[in-house]
Amino acid sequence: MAIIEVNNLKKVFGQLEVLKNVSFSVNPSEVVAVIGPSGSGKSTMLRSLVHLEEANGGSIRIGDQYLVRDGAYSNAQQIKAMTSRMGMVFQHFNLFPHLTVKGNLELSPRLVKGRSAAEVSRMSRELLDKVGLADKADVYPSSLSGGQKQRVAIARALMMNPEILLFDEPTSALDPELTGEVLQVMKRLAGEQITMIVVTHEMGFAREVADRVLFMADGEIIESGTPEQIFGNPRHERTRSFLNRVLA
């Protein structure tokens, strides 16, 4: 069974229809890349999965429970249980500047999960080592590069032991030379069978790492397929036009 299933998802801001009947599913351990022009609804769709945006219609199922069904949301306790299964990595890191790197990682597991200080400390050391920042545990975010901040943000998301990781254009705020270090961490995670949905402008990552690619434009999923099909033989003119622009 799909771990995420979205059907006819709608989102409206005022008179602007941002999402129009968006439907897709994600299987356990699958890496799905979402590509498309700016303003196509990619980030809004992703944020809807963790209830950072409220849908105006449609359904989102996480595992065997509905976050929202035909526009009606579950109760607050159920929503919290479902969204806690997911970790989100944002474009602009969202680290707390007054906390050290270690403090940023350990805050939520202590407050939300009620884990012991010893367990949380062990996890933070392991995850900082995993993202190549073991020597930065006691520094503050202001002393880190953008790539380092994003790797801290990835480690922070992993502290909650999520079943699903969502990435909202994780490299778009980075200089090109810092992008590679973040993509390397994401590639390693993909190799560990973590379910991932990645909204990205990095076509190389989508082509190399994703199991499936969704192309969005004007609030709709125009085309879905394997990287080989989307990049090698796109069926839709909108997809061809977009790829010709970004790959030129």
Side-chain angles (χ1 to χ4, degrees):
M1 184 175 75
I3 196 168
I4 295 175
E5 187 163 356
V6 177
N7 283 304
N8 299 319
L9 189 66
K10 300 179 181 70
K11 177 63 181 177
V12 178
F13 291 118
Q15 298 297 310
L16 181 64
E17 200 174 12
V18 180
L19 297 177
K20 309 170 187 174
N21 296 316
V22 168
S23 298
F24 67 95
S25 61
V26 180
N27 294 317
S29 303
E30 190 175 27
V31 178
V32 175
V34 186
I35 64 172
S38 296
S40 58
K42 305 184 301 296
S43 293
T44 301
M45 178 274 291
L46 198 70
R47 290 168 64 86
S48 298
L49 300 180
V50 283
H51 201 226
L52 292 175
E53 298 286 357
E54 193 155 299
N56 298 117
S59 302
I60 299 171
R61 179 176 57 76
I62 309 295
D64 58 359
Q65 290 186 298
Y66 279 91
L67 179 73
V68 55
R69 190 171 196 173
D70 297 327
Y73 275 87
S74 295
N75 64 48
Q77 187 176 0
Q78 291 171 318
I79 289 172
K80 184 178 178 181
M82 279 179 270
T83 56
S84 70
R85 298 173 66 177
M86 296 179 274
M88 182 127 179
V89 178
F90 298 90
Q91 181 178 346
H92 293 292
F93 328 128
N94 291 6
L95 300 178
F96 294 112
H98 64 290
L99 296 178
T100 63
V101 164
K102 194 169 182 285
N104 267 279
L105 264 65
E106 296 179 3
L107 182 65
S108 288
R110 284 181 179 172
L111 292 180
V112 178
K113 298 274 188 178
R115 294 189 177 125
S116 70
E119 181 188 6
V120 168
S121 182
R122 176 188 57 78
M123 286 181 63
S124 68
R125 286 197 305 272
E126 289 176 358
L127 286 171
L128 285 174
D129 186 55
K130 184 174 192 165
V131 299
L133 293 172
D135 60 332
K136 302 293 185 183
D138 297 317
V139 308
Y140 288 87
S142 60
S143 68
L144 301 177
S145 71
Q148 290 170 331
K149 288 176 184 175
Q150 195 59 291
R151 284 187 281 155
V152 171
I154 292 171
R156 181 179 60 181
L158 291 169
M159 285 289 290
M160 303 299 282
N161 284 333
E163 297 171 55
I164 303 156
L165 273 178
L166 308 178
F167 294 85
D168 188 9
E169 300 190 9
T171 60
S172 63
L174 303 179
D175 294 332
E177 64 267 25
L178 300 176
T179 295
E181 64 190 56
V182 174
L183 293 178
Q184 280 302 118
V185 170
M186 293 170 64
K187 286 176 186 177
R188 287 202 298 275
L189 291 175
E192 295 174 13
Q193 305 298 296
I194 295 178
T195 305
M196 294 166 58
I197 305 177
V198 185
V199 171
T200 184
H201 289 299
E202 295 293 333
M203 297 301 122
F205 176 87
R207 179 181 250 156
E208 180 185 345
V209 180
D211 298 301
R212 194 152 42 93
V213 178
L214 308 181
F215 171 67
M216 285 188 72
D218 298 326
E220 300 178 276
I221 294 176
I222 304 295
E223 189 165 353
S224 170
T226 64
E228 292 77 16
Q229 186 260 306
I230 294 292
F231 290 100
N233 187 30
R235 293 185 296 267
H236 201 284
E237 174 55 35
R238 291 292 302 277
T239 315
R240 288 194 292 272
S241 173
F242 171 77
L243 291 174
N244 285 338
R245 279 200 317 280
V246 299
L247 297 176

PDB file of all heavy atoms in Angstrom, residues 178-203:
ATOM      1  N   LEU A 178      28.186  25.174  -2.908  1.00  0.00           N
ATOM      2  CA  LEU A 178      27.719  24.562  -1.668  1.00  0.00           C
ATOM      3  C   LEU A 178      26.596  23.555  -1.903  1.00  0.00           C
ATOM      4  O   LEU A 178      26.263  22.768  -1.021  1.00  0.00           O
ATOM      5  CB  LEU A 178      27.233  25.640  -0.697  1.00  0.00           C
ATOM      6  CG  LEU A 178      28.266  26.693  -0.276  1.00  0.00           C
ATOM      7  CD1 LEU A 178      27.607  27.745   0.606  1.00  0.00           C
ATOM      8  CD2 LEU A 178      29.439  26.047   0.443  1.00  0.00           C
ATOM      9  N   THR A 179      26.028  23.592  -3.094  1.00  0.00           N
ATOM     10  CA  THR A 179      24.899  22.719  -3.402  1.00  0.00           C
ATOM     11  C   THR A 179      25.304  21.251  -3.363  1.00  0.00           C
ATOM     12  O   THR A 179      24.577  20.402  -2.841  1.00  0.00           O
ATOM     13  CB  THR A 179      24.327  23.077  -4.789  1.00  0.00           C
ATOM     14  OG1 THR A 179      23.783  24.396  -4.724  1.00  0.00           O
ATOM     15  CG2 THR A 179      23.245  22.102  -5.218  1.00  0.00           C
ATOM     16  N   GLY A 180      26.490  20.955  -3.882  1.00  0.00           N
ATOM     17  CA  GLY A 180      26.936  19.565  -3.994  1.00  0.00           C
ATOM     18  C   GLY A 180      26.999  18.846  -2.666  1.00  0.00           C
ATOM     19  O   GLY A 180      26.627  17.674  -2.562  1.00  0.00           O
ATOM     20  N   GLU A 181      27.438  19.538  -1.600  1.00  0.00           N
ATOM     21  CA  GLU A 181      27.589  18.878  -0.306  1.00  0.00           C
ATOM     22  C   GLU A 181      26.235  18.474   0.272  1.00  0.00           C
ATOM     23  O   GLU A 181      26.111  17.445   0.933  1.00  0.00           O
ATOM     24  CB  GLU A 181      28.359  19.762   0.670  1.00  0.00           C
ATOM     25  CG  GLU A 181      27.684  21.062   1.053  1.00  0.00           C
ATOM     26  CD  GLU A 181      28.597  21.999   1.841  1.00  0.00           C
ATOM     27  OE1 GLU A 181      29.688  22.333   1.341  1.00  0.00           O
ATOM     28  OE2 GLU A 181      28.201  22.380   2.946  1.00  0.00           O
ATOM     29  N   VAL A 182      25.210  19.287   0.001  1.00  0.00           N
ATOM     30  CA  VAL A 182      23.862  18.946   0.481  1.00  0.00           C
ATOM     31  C   VAL A 182      23.285  17.799  -0.347  1.00  0.00           C
ATOM     32  O   VAL A 182      22.697  16.855   0.196  1.00  0.00           O
ATOM     33  CB  VAL A 182      22.940  20.183   0.409  1.00  0.00           C
ATOM     34  CG1 VAL A 182      21.499  19.805   0.766  1.00  0.00           C
ATOM     35  CG2 VAL A 182      23.452  21.267   1.348  1.00  0.00           C
ATOM     36  N   LEU A 183      23.481  17.846  -1.652  1.00  0.00           N
ATOM     37  CA  LEU A 183      22.968  16.772  -2.515  1.00  0.00           C
ATOM     38  C   LEU A 183      23.614  15.426  -2.184  1.00  0.00           C
ATOM     39  O   LEU A 183      22.962  14.383  -2.264  1.00  0.00           O
ATOM     40  CB  LEU A 183      23.190  17.122  -3.991  1.00  0.00           C
ATOM     41  CG  LEU A 183      22.378  18.307  -4.527  1.00  0.00           C
ATOM     42  CD1 LEU A 183      22.736  18.577  -5.981  1.00  0.00           C
ATOM     43  CD2 LEU A 183      20.876  18.058  -4.390  1.00  0.00           C
ATOM     44  N   GLN A 184      24.888  15.445  -1.791  1.00  0.00           N
ATOM     45  CA  GLN A 184      25.567  14.196  -1.423  1.00  0.00           C
ATOM     46  C   GLN A 184      24.909  13.553  -0.209  1.00  0.00           C
ATOM     47  O   GLN A 184      24.709  12.331  -0.161  1.00  0.00           O
ATOM     48  CB  GLN A 184      27.048  14.460  -1.134  1.00  0.00           C
ATOM     49  CG  GLN A 184      27.916  14.576  -2.379  1.00  0.00           C
ATOM     50  CD  GLN A 184      27.842  13.324  -3.240  1.00  0.00           C
ATOM     51  OE1 GLN A 184      27.410  13.370  -4.390  1.00  0.00           O
ATOM     52  NE2 GLN A 184      28.230  12.187  -2.696  1.00  0.00           N
ATOM     53  N   VAL A 185      24.552  14.377   0.784  1.00  0.00           N
ATOM     54  CA  VAL A 185      23.856  13.855   1.972  1.00  0.00           C
ATOM     55  C   VAL A 185      22.506  13.268   1.553  1.00  0.00           C
ATOM     56  O   VAL A 185      22.122  12.180   2.003  1.00  0.00           O
ATOM     57  CB  VAL A 185      23.668  14.964   3.024  1.00  0.00           C
ATOM     58  CG1 VAL A 185      22.736  14.496   4.149  1.00  0.00           C
ATOM     59  CG2 VAL A 185      25.013  15.384   3.600  1.00  0.00           C
ATOM     60  N   MET A 186      21.784  13.973   0.688  1.00  0.00           N
ATOM     61  CA  MET A 186      20.471  13.488   0.250  1.00  0.00           C
ATOM     62  C   MET A 186      20.593  12.191  -0.539  1.00  0.00           C
ATOM     63  O   MET A 186      19.751  11.290  -0.408  1.00  0.00           O
ATOM     64  CB  MET A 186      19.777  14.574  -0.571  1.00  0.00           C
ATOM     65  CG  MET A 186      19.404  15.800   0.255  1.00  0.00           C
ATOM     66  SD  MET A 186      18.853  17.194  -0.753  1.00  0.00           S
ATOM     67  CE  MET A 186      17.364  16.510  -1.496  1.00  0.00           C
ATOM     68  N   LYS A 187      21.634  12.066  -1.349  1.00  0.00           N
ATOM     69  CA  LYS A 187      21.845  10.827  -2.104  1.00  0.00           C
ATOM     70  C   LYS A 187      22.094   9.650  -1.158  1.00  0.00           C
ATOM     71  O   LYS A 187      21.587   8.545  -1.372  1.00  0.00           O
ATOM     72  CB  LYS A 187      23.027  10.990  -3.060  1.00  0.00           C
ATOM     73  CG  LYS A 187      22.728  11.853  -4.272  1.00  0.00           C
ATOM     74  CD  LYS A 187      23.984  12.056  -5.120  1.00  0.00           C
ATOM     75  CE  LYS A 187      23.724  13.029  -6.254  1.00  0.00           C
ATOM     76  NZ  LYS A 187      24.935  13.298  -7.058  1.00  0.00           N
ATOM     77  N   ARG A 188      22.864   9.904  -0.094  1.00  0.00           N
ATOM     78  CA  ARG A 188      23.121   8.826   0.870  1.00  0.00           C
ATOM     79  C   ARG A 188      21.828   8.403   1.564  1.00  0.00           C
ATOM     80  O   ARG A 188      21.583   7.220   1.788  1.00  0.00           O
ATOM     81  CB  ARG A 188      24.160   9.269   1.908  1.00  0.00           C
ATOM     82  CG  ARG A 188      25.571   9.356   1.363  1.00  0.00           C
ATOM     83  CD  ARG A 188      26.608   9.274   2.477  1.00  0.00           C
ATOM     84  NE  ARG A 188      26.504  10.358   3.431  1.00  0.00           N
ATOM     85  CZ  ARG A 188      27.074  11.555   3.286  1.00  0.00           C
ATOM     86  NH1 ARG A 188      27.803  11.809   2.210  1.00  0.00           N
ATOM     87  NH2 ARG A 188      26.939  12.484   4.214  1.00  0.00           N
ATOM     88  N   LEU A 189      20.993   9.380   1.901  1.00  0.00           N
ATOM     89  CA  LEU A 189      19.710   9.056   2.539  1.00  0.00           C
ATOM     90  C   LEU A 189      18.823   8.233   1.610  1.00  0.00           C
ATOM     91  O   LEU A 189      18.157   7.286   2.037  1.00  0.00           O
ATOM     92  CB  LEU A 189      18.985  10.341   2.950  1.00  0.00           C
ATOM     93  CG  LEU A 189      19.607  11.140   4.084  1.00  0.00           C
ATOM     94  CD1 LEU A 189      18.852  12.445   4.283  1.00  0.00           C
ATOM     95  CD2 LEU A 189      19.623  10.338   5.379  1.00  0.00           C
ATOM     96  N   ALA A 190      18.808   8.605   0.334  1.00  0.00           N
ATOM     97  CA  ALA A 190      18.016   7.853  -0.646  1.00  0.00           C
ATOM     98  C   ALA A 190      18.488   6.404  -0.715  1.00  0.00           C
ATOM     99  O   ALA A 190      17.683   5.480  -0.870  1.00  0.00           O
ATOM    100  CB  ALA A 190      18.115   8.511  -2.017  1.00  0.00           C
ATOM    101  N   GLY A 191      19.790   6.199  -0.548  1.00  0.00           N
ATOM    102  CA  GLY A 191      20.341   4.848  -0.562  1.00  0.00           C
ATOM    103  C   GLY A 191      19.987   4.036   0.663  1.00  0.00           C
ATOM    104  O   GLY A 191      20.160   2.814   0.683  1.00  0.00           O
ATOM    105  N   GLU A 192      19.491   4.706   1.702  1.00  0.00           N
ATOM    106  CA  GLU A 192      19.096   4.024   2.940  1.00  0.00           C
ATOM    107  C   GLU A 192      17.605   3.695   2.980  1.00  0.00           C
ATOM    108  O   GLU A 192      17.063   3.375   4.030  1.00  0.00           O
ATOM    109  CB  GLU A 192      19.474   4.891   4.149  1.00  0.00           C
ATOM    110  CG  GLU A 192      20.969   5.063   4.311  1.00  0.00           C
ATOM    111  CD  GLU A 192      21.334   6.048   5.416  1.00  0.00           C
ATOM    112  OE1 GLU A 192      20.433   6.402   6.217  1.00  0.00           O
ATOM    113  OE2 GLU A 192      22.497   6.465   5.475  1.00  0.00           O
ATOM    114  N   GLN A 193      16.951   3.805   1.844  1.00  0.00           N
ATOM    115  CA  GLN A 193      15.545   3.396   1.720  1.00  0.00           C
ATOM    116  C   GLN A 193      14.586   4.270   2.513  1.00  0.00           C
ATOM    117  O   GLN A 193      13.524   3.818   2.942  1.00  0.00           O
ATOM    118  CB  GLN A 193      15.360   1.924   2.130  1.00  0.00           C
ATOM    119  CG  GLN A 193      16.245   0.949   1.382  1.00  0.00           C
ATOM    120  CD  GLN A 193      15.970   0.942  -0.116  1.00  0.00           C
ATOM    121  OE1 GLN A 193      14.886   0.584  -0.540  1.00  0.00           O
ATOM    122  NE2 GLN A 193      16.930   1.338  -0.926  1.00  0.00           N
ATOM    123  N   ILE A 194      14.953   5.547   2.730  1.00  0.00           N
ATOM    124  CA  ILE A 194      14.027   6.485   3.365  1.00  0.00           C
ATOM    125  C   ILE A 194      13.095   7.037   2.294  1.00  0.00           C
ATOM    126  O   ILE A 194      13.541   7.428   1.215  1.00  0.00           O
ATOM    127  CB  ILE A 194      14.794   7.636   4.055  1.00  0.00           C
ATOM    128  CG1 ILE A 194      15.622   7.080   5.219  1.00  0.00           C
ATOM    129  CG2 ILE A 194      13.832   8.701   4.569  1.00  0.00           C
ATOM    130  CD1 ILE A 194      16.459   8.123   5.926  1.00  0.00           C
ATOM    131  N   THR A 195      11.808   7.047   2.563  1.00  0.00           N
ATOM    132  CA  THR A 195      10.841   7.627   1.635  1.00  0.00           C
ATOM    133  C   THR A 195      11.076   9.131   1.561  1.00  0.00           C
ATOM    134  O   THR A 195      11.131   9.809   2.584  1.00  0.00           O
ATOM    135  CB  THR A 195       9.403   7.347   2.107  1.00  0.00           C
ATOM    136  OG1 THR A 195       9.243   5.936   2.294  1.00  0.00           O
ATOM    137  CG2 THR A 195       8.386   7.830   1.080  1.00  0.00           C
ATOM    138  N   MET A 196      11.224   9.661   0.353  1.00  0.00           N
ATOM    139  CA  MET A 196      11.551  11.070   0.186  1.00  0.00           C
ATOM    140  C   MET A 196      10.714  11.698  -0.926  1.00  0.00           C
ATOM    141  O   MET A 196      10.521  11.099  -1.978  1.00  0.00           O
ATOM    142  CB  MET A 196      13.049  11.248  -0.163  1.00  0.00           C
ATOM    143  CG  MET A 196      13.984  10.834   0.951  1.00  0.00           C
ATOM    144  SD  MET A 196      15.735  10.634   0.449  1.00  0.00           S
ATOM    145  CE  MET A 196      16.122  12.253  -0.196  1.00  0.00           C
ATOM    146  N   ILE A 197      10.216  12.913  -0.670  1.00  0.00           N
ATOM    147  CA  ILE A 197       9.618  13.743  -1.715  1.00  0.00           C
ATOM    148  C   ILE A 197      10.458  15.013  -1.768  1.00  0.00           C
ATOM    149  O   ILE A 197      10.605  15.709  -0.756  1.00  0.00           O
ATOM    150  CB  ILE A 197       8.154  14.098  -1.437  1.00  0.00           C
ATOM    151  CG1 ILE A 197       7.320  12.835  -1.209  1.00  0.00           C
ATOM    152  CG2 ILE A 197       7.567  14.905  -2.603  1.00  0.00           C
ATOM    153  CD1 ILE A 197       5.869  13.125  -0.863  1.00  0.00           C
ATOM    154  N   VAL A 198      11.018  15.293  -2.931  1.00  0.00           N
ATOM    155  CA  VAL A 198      11.971  16.383  -3.069  1.00  0.00           C
ATOM    156  C   VAL A 198      11.495  17.358  -4.137  1.00  0.00           C
ATOM    157  O   VAL A 198      11.464  17.024  -5.326  1.00  0.00           O
ATOM    158  CB  VAL A 198      13.371  15.855  -3.446  1.00  0.00           C
ATOM    159  CG1 VAL A 198      14.384  17.001  -3.467  1.00  0.00           C
ATOM    160  CG2 VAL A 198      13.822  14.755  -2.484  1.00  0.00           C
ATOM    161  N   VAL A 199      11.077  18.551  -3.716  1.00  0.00           N
ATOM    162  CA  VAL A 199      10.807  19.634  -4.658  1.00  0.00           C
ATOM    163  C   VAL A 199      12.155  20.263  -4.991  1.00  0.00           C
ATOM    164  O   VAL A 199      12.875  20.718  -4.097  1.00  0.00           O
ATOM    165  CB  VAL A 199       9.859  20.682  -4.042  1.00  0.00           C
ATOM    166  CG1 VAL A 199       9.767  21.914  -4.936  1.00  0.00           C
ATOM    167  CG2 VAL A 199       8.478  20.083  -3.821  1.00  0.00           C
ATOM    168  N   THR A 200      12.536  20.246  -6.256  1.00  0.00           N
ATOM    169  CA  THR A 200      13.896  20.650  -6.589  1.00  0.00           C
ATOM    170  C   THR A 200      14.011  21.276  -7.968  1.00  0.00           C
ATOM    171  O   THR A 200      13.229  20.969  -8.879  1.00  0.00           O
ATOM    172  CB  THR A 200      14.846  19.430  -6.493  1.00  0.00           C
ATOM    173  OG1 THR A 200      16.191  19.853  -6.726  1.00  0.00           O
ATOM    174  CG2 THR A 200      14.478  18.351  -7.517  1.00  0.00           C
ATOM    175  N   HIS A 201      15.009  22.161  -8.094  1.00  0.00           N
ATOM    176  CA  HIS A 201      15.419  22.682  -9.401  1.00  0.00           C
ATOM    177  C   HIS A 201      16.665  21.961  -9.909  1.00  0.00           C
ATOM    178  O   HIS A 201      17.162  22.292 -10.986  1.00  0.00           O
ATOM    179  CB  HIS A 201      15.712  24.189  -9.296  1.00  0.00           C
ATOM    180  CG  HIS A 201      14.482  25.021  -9.102  1.00  0.00           C
ATOM    181  ND1 HIS A 201      13.458  25.059 -10.023  1.00  0.00           N
ATOM    182  CD2 HIS A 201      14.110  25.844  -8.099  1.00  0.00           C
ATOM    183  CE1 HIS A 201      12.512  25.875  -9.590  1.00  0.00           C
ATOM    184  NE2 HIS A 201      12.874  26.364  -8.418  1.00  0.00           N
ATOM    185  N   GLU A 202      17.163  21.014  -9.132  1.00  0.00           N
ATOM    186  CA  GLU A 202      18.377  20.289  -9.509  1.00  0.00           C
ATOM    187  C   GLU A 202      17.994  19.096 -10.393  1.00  0.00           C
ATOM    188  O   GLU A 202      17.650  18.020  -9.912  1.00  0.00           O
ATOM    189  CB  GLU A 202      19.113  19.805  -8.248  1.00  0.00           C
ATOM    190  CG  GLU A 202      19.639  20.912  -7.364  1.00  0.00           C
ATOM    191  CD  GLU A 202      20.762  21.693  -8.030  1.00  0.00           C
ATOM    192  OE1 GLU A 202      21.473  21.133  -8.894  1.00  0.00           O
ATOM    193  OE2 GLU A 202      20.920  22.882  -7.687  1.00  0.00           O
ATOM    194  N   MET A 203      18.051  19.316 -11.701  1.00  0.00           N
ATOM    195  CA  MET A 203      17.628  18.274 -12.632  1.00  0.00           C
ATOM    196  C   MET A 203      18.552  17.055 -12.573  1.00  0.00           C
ATOM    197  O   MET A 203      18.111  15.921 -12.758  1.00  0.00           O
ATOM    198  CB  MET A 203      17.577  18.826 -14.062  1.00  0.00           C
ATOM    199  CG  MET A 203      16.560  19.940 -14.251  1.00  0.00           C
ATOM    200  SD  MET A 203      14.868  19.458 -13.857  1.00  0.00           S
ATOM    201  CE  MET A 203      14.475  20.670 -12.586  1.00  0.00           C
TER     202      MET A 203
END
